[in-house]
Amino acid sequence: MGITGLLPFLEKASSACHLKDLRGKCVAIDSYCWLHRGAFGCAERLARGEQTDAHIRYCLKYVQLLLSYNIKPILVFDGRHLPAKAATEAKRRESRENARKRGAELLRLGRIDEARSFLRRCVDITHEMALQLIQECRKRNVDCVVAPYEADAQLAFLNRADIAQYVITEDSDLVLFGCSRILFKLDLTGNGRLVESTKLHLAMGCREERYQFVKFRQMCILSGCDYLESLPGIGLAKACRFILKTEDPDIKRALAKIPAYLNMRQLVVTEEYKAEFLKAEATFKHMVVYDPVERRQKRLTDPLDEGTPEEYCCNAGVFLDEDTAFNLALGNLDPFSLRPLDDWHPDKVTEAHGAGEIKRSRHPSIWQQNSSSAGEEGCEKQSLHATNTQQQQTFVKRPLMNAAFEEQGTKDTIADVLQAYGIETATEPPMKRLCPAEKPSIRSIAFGYEEVNVLEAMTLLERGESPKRNRNPFLVATNAAVSCREASNALLSPTKITPSNRSLLQNVSPVKRIDYSASGQTSGQRDFKVTSQSDNTATTAVTASRLSRFKRTNTIASCSISAGQKVISRFFCSQTSTGSTGTVNNDGDPIQDPKEATVESPTAIVRKFKSKQETQKLAAAALYLRSPEAQLKLRGDRTPEKRRTGCDYGTGLIEPASPSVEEALVTKVDSGIGGIDDETNASEGDGLSLSQKENDDNALNTVAAESSETKGRKTVRLSLFERKHATKIESEENMGSDDLAIVLDDDASDGGAEGKAENRTGNESTKTDLNTERGKPTFTNTAGGHTRSEKKTNSKPSCRRPGLSAVRGKPSKDAAGLTQSRLSMFGFQKKSSMQLDKR
DNA sequence: GTCACATCGTCGT
DNA sequence: CGATGTGAC
């Protein structure tokens, strides 16, 4: 059920979002949504008990989509039913059962079409389906978790623990559970709607300083949620008005004032309701979830921390014994009977498991128990669960990625390091400054990745926006969707390893392997530790600086940097007079003596940078506005091929595509979905996609086909709708189609055709608006239906006749059922009569 | 303007 | 499950 009307209510707290903004992140998925949508397509077969895997393939398509953007997915499944929801569940089961019976009956009577509609409504997502998907995911090294109870709480836990930075769902309840970033309405083109908890006050219409998340949650519970029916006559709007009005922090006392505050004298707030309210609140706060890191069940938040009496948690689930809980979370048990169905164990995974053509994700598993297993999750774990030890700057060791090389320990040049990991080094090292520092005139227009990154972070910082794109393929997580502060801090400060400043190089560099916790002692050439006490000799200085340059950029790691000291990034060192020694190595990079690293606050550096480097900033801004391809061209493409082509996690469902190619496609598809007018063909001087279009030749891969098919479908659907109206008008006016004022054409019949997308770029969007959201999902009908009507009315009347394939299967009687308001909404009535008048 | 309730669509070819 | 439409207050 969720919260009725919450998503439209959250319009102001949401923004259009694309998966490309989530690169390098980890995303927890409410798998039920995908399974349910997937099962809908093969509902008949499922209802008849026939064998099918269409729904599984549907889900894997999404998994693949995420992997192709280098996003780590964690699929979360529902577990047992909460007692509080038992009634709702029973009701659902009953209605499904009824639908099944009626469907079967109609099927016997041979009324296939009617039977179909009932059979679709009776699809139930069973744990067997979930397990089927889980098993496919295991083959691909994609993590799955079965929640002890509701997936919602589990998703929220993963999000709050920062194991997953985003949550994908269709259920508005996730907001109440306290997720920070939720992606709704994700489609196969990668577009979705992002709701951020930091913006919730905007939706409530409340000043930020007066806003508390607790208030938001109380508002939602008051409006009616899964655990508590609303008081009669109270919906979101009234609940919001009440919550904003009341000052009383004690909600139990405040609840009594509802009738007075809302002018609803007839309303009675019983003691029972108050108690149930507190229980419902506790259910959201303290539901039992599973912590895959600690491998134990716990509550989403600790009742002691929140001061919640234990008796209120009676609906929030009970704990299982350790072993059962673990196996349930892995998906090995049937959640209801707790009978074993499988015996998979994360610690006993063999590579052979995924043998065959199926490619395995390289993301580290959340189930990797050894916290020293590092990689991404190692970092997560450290930032999450080892905050205390972090103060000692204890770095976790990552597993040896290339044992032969790493044990050897002699090859310490950048080229060697990269080569050891299969990165092509025939070209220059990726982080190499493209234009040497000694050529300042050229430097002002050419930038390395870091520069652009920093500039971008600062530019966005200035504007108070979140960074949108990853431009530096090596700074995977620094950029996208991290708050600006985080981004700039990661670049500016002597950082600890956090999820936001990981990089490929960090993993590649031997530096990472130094265990600083040991004794501060490090061995030979491997010590590239940059500290104020560092004693790099002249002979090792060049090599050391080259490698430490990598390190400093992202993880300036040292146990001996004391508070207040700051080793600033190479970029800033070279730009600030105090930071640079003035010496340059043979790469043209300044060799920075760590002793002279300035102790400056990030803001001070930014200020200095801003005043001194205005031209560079402008140039960088110009560069920022280019597509990734254009940037690469401008800077000279030094990125090793392997990295540029993105990840290679494909399973064959969707071929792994270069991220840039995907972006190109999305740009095209975006413009295709939104526009329903053919008469405007110009793809409005879209500077961003210029070079992407040049790349189109490469774009004809499976993803292309997928995307354009989707586009085609949508277009056909729109056309079908339009045609229905047209038919209606036609019959009403008693006119032949030749006389019909609405222009009909056959364009939509071949929906998947390449190139149409650009032609359909609607004239509805402002040409100069780079943030246009056309074609992206929105929460409100005003944004969906109404804009469409505006599009229609603003443009010349036109209507595409769908192809035969689109008409087939839809009984024409539907057209007769259209209401006048619907017609006028799409502008047909008006237009047709207008045109008819002319005649 | 709100809210409650009923009904539809979700896929895929 | 959300979206949408409709009718009651």
Side-chain angles (χ1 to χ4, degrees), chain A residues 141 268 343 429 521 639 681 791 793:
Chain A
N141 193 29
V268 188
D343 62 346
Q521 282 290 335
T639 320
N681 3 341
K791 284 173 207 167
T793 35

Side-chain angles (χ1 to χ4, degrees), chain A residues 485-738:
Chain A
R485 176 199 292 262
E486 214 177 311
S488 52
N489 279 349
L491 288 160
L492 291 170
S493 60
T495 47
K496 50 200 182 266
I497 298 180
T498 70
S500 59
N501 64 11
R502 258 174 275 127
S503 76
L504 173 76
L505 290 161
Q506 189 181 315
N507 290 331
V508 161
S509 161
V511 176
K512 181 85 182 302
R513 295 191 59 245
I514 300 165
D515 187 354
Y516 289 97
S517 65
S519 60
Q521 282 290 335
T522 46
S523 57
Q525 272 197 294
R526 281 206 188 175
D527 183 8
F528 300 112
K529 189 171 64 165
V530 184
T531 77
S532 46
Q533 284 94 45
S534 173
D535 57 354
N536 286 338
T537 63
T539 45
T540 58
V542 172
T543 327
S545 83
R546 288 177 71 179
L547 266 174
S548 64
R549 188 178 64 200
F550 288 166
K551 196 165 144 47
R552 264 175 289 153
T553 315
N554 296 297
T555 53
I556 299 164
S558 166
C559 55
S560 43
I561 293 178
S562 55
Q565 281 183 311
K566 194 155 282 188
V567 180
I568 60 175
S569 87
R570 169 180 67 97
F571 176 55
F572 285 106
C573 286
S574 64
Q575 298 302 325
T576 53
S577 52
T578 44
S580 175
T581 57
T583 26
V584 222
N585 66 12
N586 46 12
D587 280 333
D589 288 320
I591 302 167
Q592 188 212 334
D593 183 350
K595 282 174 193 161
E596 296 198 32
T598 39
V599 183
E600 282 186 79
S601 74
T603 38
I605 296 166
V606 168
R607 208 180 314 123
K608 191 181 291 179
F609 181 87
K610 270 163 73 179
S611 57
K612 283 194 177 176
Q613 310 294 338
E614 203 55 44
T615 16
Q616 290 196 357
K617 205 168 97 182
L618 287 172
L623 199 57
Y624 167 69
L625 291 171
R626 305 297 189 107
S627 70
E629 283 80 5
Q631 288 181 31
L632 286 170
K633 268 183 198 160
L634 281 172
R635 289 198 235 114
D637 188 357
R638 309 290 182 98
T639 320
E641 183 64 30
K642 194 174 172 193
R643 302 309 305 171
R644 248 188 297 134
T645 48
C647 72
D648 46 357
Y649 298 124
T651 66
L653 284 166
I654 296 179
E655 286 301 316
S658 141
S660 54
V661 171
E662 283 156 19
E663 278 165 31
L665 282 163
V666 167
T667 317
K668 285 169 61 185
V669 173
D670 278 357
S671 41
I673 292 174
I676 49 174
D677 284 307
D678 329 337
E679 304 194 357
T680 37
N681 3 341
S683 62
E684 316 285 359
D686 191 349
L688 280 169
S689 57
L690 256 174
S691 74
Q692 278 133 335
K693 276 169 193 154
E694 289 165 22
N695 248 343
D696 277 353
D697 288 348
N698 307 326
L700 295 165
N701 54 22
T702 321
V703 178
E706 292 276 347
S707 310
S708 46
E709 265 171 44
T710 313
K711 171 211 66 186
R713 265 207 307 284
K714 294 203 178 180
T715 321
V716 168
R717 273 182 202 157
L718 282 176
S719 313
L720 177 63
F721 196 56
E722 292 163 47
R723 190 176 186 277
K724 282 192 281 184
H725 294 276
T727 322
K728 171 72 176 166
I729 295 157
E730 195 178 330
S731 57
E732 268 184 3
E733 304 291 339
N734 201 15
M735 290 174 72
S737 60
D738 285 347

